[in-house]
Amino acid sequence: MATGEQTNVAYVALREHYEELLTAIQEPEALAAGLFARGVVTKNLMDEVSVHALPPLTKKMKLLSFIADQIAVEPPTLDTFLAALKNQPSAVRVAERLESTYCSLSGRPKTQAQTLPNTASVPQQLPAPEQCVAVSPAPSPQPPTSAHAVDTYSSFLKLVYQRQKFPTYGKWHPDTSNAFINLALIKKRKMSKEEMTHFCRQTVRGDIDDIVHEKESISMGKIGEVEGKLFPQLILVEGAPGVGKSTFAWELCRQWSQGKLLQQYRLVVLLRLRDKRVREAKSISDLFYYYNRPIQQTVVEDVQATGGGRVLLLFEGYDELPAKLRTSNSIFLRIIVGRELPEATVLVTSRPSASGPLYLACRNFIDQHVEILGFTQKDIQAYF
């Protein structure tokens, strides 16, 4: 088998078991130390993984990302990685499955990989700093190709969205697998009280967030379906406080990650506008966060080169964005009105009472206007 094919097979095998590895690796610090002793990972990476304050999931993702890049350059790295994995009892079975997948894809006979000495538990076996000069350093990974970077970032996003619980600051973590999300497509014509249909009356509560327009009930599968447009420019999704806008946004991303919805998009990027990191964004690059800088930079370059083609940016919680960030010069408004990434689809969620100026500024190119209606009495009984 050609070297290029071996490289692809080793990388594909690792990606296939990526999620299992994240669960199985219990001691990322020990694994990093063992791989550093054999020149597979750098001292900088080992030090990063050893930082006590870093969440375990982040440590494992950093380590696996580096290993994936190394395997893409030098497939035999996979054998060293497998041997090191087998030092951790919790990861033995995953290591065996990974090895089996690689052998199956490459046609290589399966061999018993030797486990490496557990260098993390025997610190004196680690090379002294002066000895490290003589150790041949691992080859520097080649800059990732655009397709590889976007695929890697897409896999990362899907892994995040497939968590059972979505991130929230409150104590209640809704189970999105049993979510009741009632939606209505808002039409442009306003209605008088006399003209209201029975369905429309059910959606009006008598408060500032009421939307008194002609409406029709739709399913989540209809989000983004606009006649004559495969990639709509702007989707505005409004709802009163507490009706489930955050749940809707997370569920939409989760169903994309599961291959159920929005499969025309390469990337679906959820940006929660209450998050400090998102609010501090000044450029496109700041919105595409990824811990592997070369991959992040390549993704951003690709997205900018295509104008955001086949990318869905989901701005969740526009009403929580400070007033100074709702000006025409902010990165968020530049994207929403199409001054930046004009080929991207933008979906904005907000309270109606906060998005009035946005609606007036963008009403000529809003392709879909949707209201989240919240639970009916029947839904409440079924959910709880």
Side-chain angles (χ1 to χ4, degrees):
M1 181 178 290
T3 302
E5 293 174 337
Q6 289 177 336
T7 300
N8 291 336
V9 166
Y11 178 79
V12 167
L14 182 67
R15 296 302 304 180
E16 186 170 324
H17 294 277
Y18 182 78
E19 192 169 348
E20 290 180 88
L21 288 165
L22 283 177
T23 303
I25 296 171
Q26 298 298 313
E27 300 176 14
E29 300 90 346
L31 183 58
L35 292 170
F36 166 69
R38 277 135 194 99
V40 175
V41 303
T42 63
K43 187 175 186 302
N44 283 344
L45 180 69
M46 183 181 72
D47 290 342
E48 281 187 53
V49 172
S50 299
V51 174
H52 179 70
L54 206 62
L57 179 61
T58 303
K59 293 181 180 182
K60 290 185 276 190
M61 293 176 84
K62 279 179 175 287
L63 183 56
L64 289 177
S65 175
F66 190 92
I67 293 297
D69 287 341
Q70 293 293 77
I71 288 172
V73 175
E74 190 175 0
T77 302
L78 181 63
D79 290 324
T80 307
F81 177 60
L82 286 170
L85 265 183
K86 291 180 180 180
N87 281 327
Q88 300 199 11
S90 60
V92 170
R93 290 187 178 181
V94 177
E96 291 174 347
R97 287 196 290 272
L98 173 56
E99 182 181 16
S100 178
T101 299
Y102 174 61
C103 291
S104 175
L105 292 172
S106 65
R108 189 185 77 173
K110 187 175 180 181
T111 58
Q112 281 297 110
Q114 297 296 316
T115 58
L116 299 177
N118 192 339
T119 55
S121 62
V122 188
Q124 63 271 25
Q125 293 182 2
L126 287 175
E130 61 271 14
Q131 292 176 309
C132 292
V133 178
V135 176
S136 298
S140 300
Q142 297 297 313
T145 64
S146 178
H148 164 67
V150 172
D151 179 64
T152 300
Y153 188 58
S154 176
S155 298
F156 163 73
L157 292 174
K158 290 175 180 178
L159 179 65
V160 173
Y161 299 149
Q162 286 170 13
R163 294 174 184 169
Q164 291 184 350
K165 296 178 180 178
F166 75 45
T168 179
Y169 297 108
K171 295 181 179 179
W172 181 57
H173 294 268
D175 178 5
T176 57
S177 65
N178 191 32
F180 289 86
I181 300 174
N182 294 313
L183 304 172
L185 182 66
I186 301 171
K187 301 186 178 181
K188 291 187 177 182
R189 191 174 74 89
K190 288 188 176 182
M191 303 178 70
S192 65
K193 289 184 178 180
E194 293 73 23
E195 293 177 304
M196 281 188 189
T197 62
H198 175 68
F199 173 72
C200 186
R201 286 195 187 94
Q202 288 182 313
T203 71
V204 175
R205 299 173 176 81
D207 59 35
I208 193 172
D209 288 302
D210 282 342
I211 300 175
V212 187
H213 279 246
E214 185 179 354
K215 307 172 189 176
E216 66 178 60
S217 179
I218 62 169
S219 66
M220 182 171 279
K222 296 295 182 181
I223 295 295
E225 287 193 5
V226 177
E227 186 175 355
K229 287 188 176 183
L230 181 59
F231 301 102
Q233 181 177 350
L234 180 60
I235 302 168
L236 178 60
V237 179
E238 298 181 302
V243 298
K245 294 187 293 296
S246 296
T247 304
F248 161 81
W250 189 259
E251 178 65 9
L252 196 66
C253 293
R254 194 174 72 91
Q255 293 204 27
W256 170 73
S257 74
Q258 296 173 338
K260 296 178 180 179
L261 294 179
L262 305 171
Q263 294 307 289
Q264 67 270 39
Y265 294 100
R266 303 179 297 161
L267 300 172
V268 173
V269 184
L270 175 60
L271 297 160
R272 307 180 80 206
L273 299 181
R274 69 179 68 85
D275 290 353
K276 182 180 178 182
R277 179 185 62 79
V278 176
R279 287 183 177 186
E280 292 177 347
K282 297 293 188 295
S283 66
I284 300 297
S285 180
D286 295 333
L287 299 177
F288 289 81
Y289 172 75
Y290 193 61
Y291 49 84
N292 183 305
R293 289 289 296 174
I295 287 181
Q296 181 199 26
Q297 290 170 359
T298 304
V299 169
V300 171
E301 289 169 4
D302 178 273
V303 170
Q304 290 180 317
T306 60
R310 296 181 59 206
V311 174
L312 171 63
L313 295 174
L314 202 166
F315 290 144
E316 191 251 299
Y318 180 80
D319 52 291
E320 299 185 61
L321 201 61
K324 65 181 181 180
L325 296 179
R326 299 186 200 175
T327 64
S328 60
N329 290 327
S330 79
I331 184 64
F332 309 106
L333 265 293
R334 295 203 305 269
I335 291 174
I336 289 172
V337 302
R339 284 165 51 197
E340 294 203 35
L341 304 184
E343 300 302 317
T345 296
V346 181
L347 189 153
V348 179
T349 73
S350 178
R351 290 181 58 176
S353 56
S355 56
L358 176 67
Y359 177 80
L360 291 175
C362 304
R363 63 183 181 274
N364 292 331
F365 50 87
I366 293 176
D367 291 309
Q368 196 174 49
H369 191 184
V370 175
E371 182 180 8
I372 301 177
L373 303 177
F375 280 11
T376 65
Q377 191 62 38
K378 181 179 179 181
D379 292 337
I380 294 172
Q381 292 173 355
Y383 192 92
F384 295 102

